[in-house]
Amino acid sequence: MSDLAIEVLDRRPDPYAAVPTLVLRLGITEPSGEPVHVLALRAQIKIEPQRRRYSAEEEGRLLELFGEPPQWGETLRPFLWTHVSTVLTGFTGTTVADLPVPCSYDFEVAAAKYLHALGDGDIPLNLLFSGTVFTRRDGVVAVQPVPWHVEASYRLPVQVWRDLMDMYFPNSGWIRLRRDTIDALTRYKAERALPTWEDAFERLLKEAGE
């Protein structure tokens, strides 16, 4: 079998998923013309932050991840966003397929911190593919790996990611805290008769002079 070729054709949010999910539309070509019975496809999606420019405000928000801008020549390196997979059946030559990409908004995750810090522009992605190709000819099934060098670059607009997050978490985000910290915050909120967690955090920031 000749090498597969894969490209990202488009993207859309999945409005019905249980968690925020971006759907990437893939164009897949098997140039030899040999019928593919099943393609079990995996993708490692990396963010390549060195492939875009940043505003002064973005540089400030990225301090935790990459340090001061003079350090970025050493610290701005590709990093993992997520691993995803899908299964395709029955095609010859070319086909299209949806690749669901669940997106975390947990600020303990480096990718979520990075994406939240961006104001506009796009997100440089690199998809590294692997998996297994099953072909059938004259009743005989052959199994081959997806070639290791199959990959695709894609620039995802920042606004697409923001719209997806707003669809699931309008004007909000998630912060993970230790249980004892939550207990202390609960006491603080109750003792001051604050109606919401937002009020509690705003009071704490005000007391800290922020």
Side-chain angles (χ1 to χ4, degrees), residues 1 4 30-39 89-94 133-138 140-142 144:
M1 172 178 287
L4 289 173
E30 198 295 295
S32 74
E34 184 174 355
V36 174
H37 182 58
V38 175
L39 171 58
T89 60
F91 75 93
T92 301
T94 62
V133 183
F134 299 84
T135 60
R136 176 181 290 174
R137 185 181 291 259
D138 300 326
V140 178
V141 175
Q144 300 180 52

Side-chain angles (χ1 to χ4, degrees), residues 48-60:
E48 299 187 319
Q50 76 282 5
R51 290 174 50 207
R52 59 158 285 165
R53 294 181 176 274
Y54 300 90
S55 67
E57 289 185 0
E58 290 171 334
E59 289 176 355

Side-chain angles (χ1 to χ4, degrees), residues 38 48 76 80 95 101 109 122 135 147 177 208:
V38 175
E48 299 187 319
L76 223 59
L80 178 67
T95 190
V101 182
V109 179
D122 50 33
T135 60
L177 301 172

Side-chain angles (χ1 to χ4, degrees), residues 20-195:
T21 300
L22 179 71
V23 179
L24 297 179
R25 189 71 164 168
L26 303 180
I28 302 172
T29 300
E30 198 295 295
S32 74
E34 184 174 355
V36 174
H37 182 58
V38 175
L39 171 58
L41 189 65
R42 297 186 297 272
Q44 180 187 84
I45 304 180
K46 289 188 174 183
I47 296 174
E48 299 187 319
Q50 76 282 5
R51 290 174 50 207
R52 59 158 285 165
R53 294 181 176 274
Y54 300 90
S55 67
E57 289 185 0
E58 290 171 334
E59 289 176 355
R61 293 195 291 264
L62 291 169
L63 178 65
E64 181 182 358
L65 284 177
F66 304 125
E68 297 287 351
Q71 301 174 282
W72 284 16
E74 297 295 329
T75 61
L76 223 59
R77 293 287 185 267
F79 62 93
L80 178 67
W81 183 9
T82 189
H83 289 92
V84 292
S85 61
T86 191
V87 176
L88 291 72
T89 60
F91 75 93
T92 301
T94 62
T95 190
V96 293
D98 288 340
L99 181 66
V101 182
C103 301
S104 173
Y105 207 14
D106 182 350
F107 285 102
E108 295 296 312
V109 179
K113 292 180 183 179
Y114 174 81
L115 296 171
H116 179 77
L118 302 182
D120 56 16
D122 50 33
I123 306 157
L125 302 179
N126 191 32
L127 290 75
L128 307 174
F129 294 102
S130 60
T132 307
V133 183
F134 299 84
T135 60
R136 176 181 290 174
R137 185 181 291 259
D138 300 326
V140 178
V141 175
V143 180
Q144 300 180 52
V146 172
W148 63 268
H149 58 267
V150 178
E151 60 183 76
S153 295
Y154 185 66
R155 302 190 79 92
L156 176 70
V158 172
Q159 193 60 49
V160 169
W161 182 84
R162 289 196 174 278
D163 290 345
L164 176 65
M165 291 300 112
D166 286 341
M167 182 183 298
Y168 284 82
F169 310 120
N171 196 32
S172 59
W174 295 97
I175 299 176
R176 185 172 60 184
L177 301 172
R178 294 198 317 269
R179 193 169 300 160
D180 57 342
T181 302
I182 293 174
D183 291 342
L185 285 168
T186 301
R187 289 193 300 271
Y188 177 89
K189 178 173 173 286
E191 289 169 357
R192 290 157 180 80
L194 299 171

